[in-house]
Amino acid sequence: MEKYSATLAMRLGKIWNWMADEGISLVMLEDTETRRDQNIRWLTGHPQDALLFISLNRQAGDNAVNGQAVLVAWDINLAKLCAAGAPVLLASYSDFDRKPLNAITAVTQKFDIPYGSKIEIPPVTPYPVFLDYVGELTNYDILCREKGIAAEINKLRAVKDEEEIAIIRKAASITNEIIDLLEKNVRSGKIKTEADAALFIEVESRKRGCDGTSFETLAAGPERSYAIHAFPAWTCAPFGGQGLSILDFGVKYGAYCTDVTMTFARDLNPKQEKLVNLVEKAYKLALSMAHNGTPAKDVAAAVDALFAKSKKQMPHGLGHGIGLQEHEYPNIRNRGENKWTLEPGMIFTIEPGLYDPIHGGCRIENDILMTETGAEILTTSEIIRL
Amino acid sequence: MEKYSATLAMRLGKIWNWMADEGISLVMLEDTETRRDQNIRWLTGHPQDALLFISLNRQAGDNAVNGQAVLVAWDINLAKLCAAGAPVLLASYSDFDRKPLNAITAVTQKFDIPYGSKIEIPPVTPYPVFLDYVGELTNYDILCREKGIAAEINKLRAVKDEEEIAIIRKAASITNEIIDLLEKNVRSGKIKTEADAALFIEVESRKRGCDGTSFETLAAGPERSYAIHAFPAWTCAPFGGQGLSILDFGVKYGAYCTDVTMTFARDLNPKQEKLVNLVEKAYKLALSMAHNGTPAKDVAAAVDALFAKSKKQMPHGLGHGIGLQEHEYPNIRNRGENKWTLEPGMIFTIEPGLYDPIHGGCRIENDILMTETGAEILTTSEIIRL
């Protein structure tokens, strides 16, 4: 994935076609410290800290849709290694005083964007910054829309191609090796603390060629598992003792994330036992409903209804897509409007959980690939009774 | 810092005063996955994933400025532990369908915000989302400004109070213990790879009571030190061998960050030697200029000028404030407008660096506390010749 490839060129081609349909001459994508965007990596292979400008060339009477792209990278050395090759030109962010406004102005000139054209900037552009763009690019029509270029790429990314599925399968198989070792080492007492568990995952993932973990491992022993996301993410506190311990982690392999949660249960009291049984029941219910063509909202609504019967409420969604990010489309949730339908090539988590401020929390989470014939469970985490 | 304290109440008092001066009835702060904001932690002690609404009460003829505040937390269990106590009320984000727009509407009603009042939302609010607020809160004047509430809090945070200085001193002393151990273990050969270095820091920081590292440790052996921020942040590649190895890390203790960089140099060729000498010279120059009352830009400009004489360019700023975030005010940079003046209570990094795509990179970074009488260097990282 790190060199400019046919896959990346094909993705860029889709963007040019979309731009032609929308009548847009130039789009800007931004990946900076406060506004991260993996879409640049998806289109160029460059990992982080860059702007990407894509312009459309279309001659009258010419059916071929194509264009140009320039990656303005904070670290030009890194860009030369990761994003080299046509049709993406490279430039250094320092040449523009590291200001997006300077860069976009230079690009409109370099690519001869005709006055009056539509230029789209990222939908996360803050309102005051949007005003700066409008003030500077007075000869253009500046678009900043939730349903624009970013939404289009995110939608494309929700359905993985064969290359992506192969990488995520490999990431899942590494995750599963680590899941097995975690179970073994908690049972044997080699892993006794949250730190033991978190560091074990760091080491074992890198040993197997991963970029690292896909997010900071959340290791919460019985004293801290009441929180959805323990804070700090892990400490030197005991892990795996009496009660419920949650271990939420993922690996990043070839830029792609997994995301799983194991719960370790030991000597449960009746309330903890009830929590665990309910979460297991919810997990099985969700899997039994996750078919090709099913609305994602229906699956999540069924789990919410199951919990509601026991007067419980899950304080988070049932699941989410995974890929270059640990959270991406499709949404697998009941809350609000959710128009996603499960379709082949989607890879997402199913992760029912319940949390009690006194008795602790329980969550089970695996990664699911939707295929023509149904859900394939890629990962093997479970509730482990010690 | 984790319970509501006199310090936090004093901070909230400053905000109410500022709101009175600005004529603002309600402000919203937002800390969510895609828009992080440590200002909520600074004001309430609550670590993450919440909205904070602050409203102003001022009776005509009443000089006492005060008001109310409500923290809308994603994880209400965590909020009860971290942010309990008056004058901050708590609510669950789930009660508002986890939508900021629902929450703000409910708060305007609960706090009886008079029609026509000014309500300020975060300056990072995306333009399309800003339109949603304006569309929903039609009876109010919605402000979304770069120089508003967030800028005010960030400015206040740039000068640390005694409590904060004490915490950062402790964080720095832990950092220094780890720096010494890193040098010893790289010299002895116990640390041989980037992974060895990164994991060592993870373990040693937690052992000493830290929340963790303040960012993902950047460990780049000679093959990878050409990059400002190596990607991935660390791998199983060799560290400390012939050439230049960079180790950029920090610890987070009591929510406060340190940020240091060590460079390990072994058997340098003449070009590498020149790079190292130049960076050391720049570091000394910067320190010699960092006085109480000096414009930060002047310090950074002097370093840029020094590098320019050798036809070198530093691809990043000279330094930045540290505190609840690893990057905050003041800016210590030459680029663009920079009006910061070094003043007592500011804590910031000085981190000159140069990077060569063939010969590797070199950076030295320490954390500096400005006092009435001058710069106090809190941390002890250096360029270590092996």
Side-chain angles (χ1 to χ4, degrees), chain A residues 2 33-35 41 47-49 74-75 77-78 81 94-95 97-99 122-130 132 144-146 195 199 202-203 206-207 210-213 216 226-236 252 313-317 326-327 335-337 355-357, chain B residues 2 33-35 41 47-49 74-75 77-78 81 94-95 97-99 122-130 132 144-146 195 199 202-203 206-207 210-213 216 226-236 252 313-317 326-327 335-337 355-357:
Chain A
E2 302 223 326
E33 188 174 1
T34 51
R35 293 193 282 279
R41 187 164 198 177
Q48 66 184 11
D49 293 307
W74 182 55
D75 190 331
N77 293 341
L78 193 65
L81 286 172
S94 290
D95 294 344
D97 209 18
R98 293 196 280 281
K99 288 183 179 160
V124 295
T125 304
Y127 171 63
V129 178
F130 170 79
D132 292 342
C144 178
R145 310 174 293 171
E146 271 173 356
L199 293 172
E202 290 294 334
V203 176
R206 261 88 170 184
K207 268 194 202 164
C210 293
D211 302 341
T213 47
E216 196 177 12
Y226 66 84
I228 309 168
H229 282 182
F231 191 90
W234 53 273
T235 71
C236 289
K252 190 174 272 194
Q313 196 191 0
M314 179 164 68
H316 54 73
E326 75 268 31
H327 295 150
R335 177 170 63 89
E337 190 182 60
Y355 312 86
D356 183 283
Chain B
E2 303 223 325
E33 186 172 3
T34 52
R35 294 194 282 280
R41 187 165 197 177
Q48 65 184 10
D49 294 306
W74 183 54
D75 191 330
N77 293 341
L78 193 65
L81 286 172
S94 290
D95 293 345
D97 209 16
R98 294 196 279 282
K99 287 185 179 159
V124 294
T125 305
Y127 171 62
V129 178
F130 170 80
D132 292 341
C144 178
R145 310 174 294 170
E146 270 173 359
L199 293 173
E202 291 293 334
V203 175
R206 259 89 172 183
K207 268 194 204 166
C210 293
D211 302 342
T213 47
E216 195 175 13
Y226 64 84
I228 309 168
H229 283 182
F231 192 91
W234 52 273
T235 70
C236 289
K252 189 173 273 193
Q313 197 192 0
M314 179 164 67
H316 54 74
E326 75 269 30
H327 294 151
R335 177 169 63 86
E337 190 182 59
Y355 312 86
D356 184 283

Side-chain angles (χ1 to χ4, degrees), chain A residues 28 100-101 104 121 125 129-137 142:
Chain A
M28 179 178 100
L101 207 56
I104 198 170
I121 63 175
T125 304
V129 178
F130 170 79
L131 296 182
D132 292 342
Y133 281 99
V134 171
E136 181 77 18
L137 301 165
I142 307 300

Side-chain angles (χ1 to χ4, degrees), chain A residues 5-38:
Chain A
S5 67
T7 302
L8 298 181
M10 196 187 65
R11 291 174 188 169
L12 204 47
K14 285 182 185 172
I15 304 308
W16 282 325
N17 277 313
W18 179 86
M19 289 173 70
D21 290 345
E22 296 271 320
I24 294 172
S25 298
L26 179 70
V27 299
M28 179 178 100
L29 308 183
E30 178 179 359
D31 180 67
T32 54
E33 188 174 1
T34 51
R35 293 193 282 279
R36 289 284 168 217
D37 183 4
Q38 287 288 317

Side-chain angles (χ1 to χ4, degrees), chain A residues 175-191:
Chain A
T175 307
N176 293 339
E177 288 175 36
I178 295 173
I179 286 171
D180 288 348
L181 291 172
L182 285 164
E183 176 175 355
K184 194 177 131 201
N185 288 331
V186 173
R187 285 193 189 281
S188 75
K190 198 179 148 196
I191 292 176

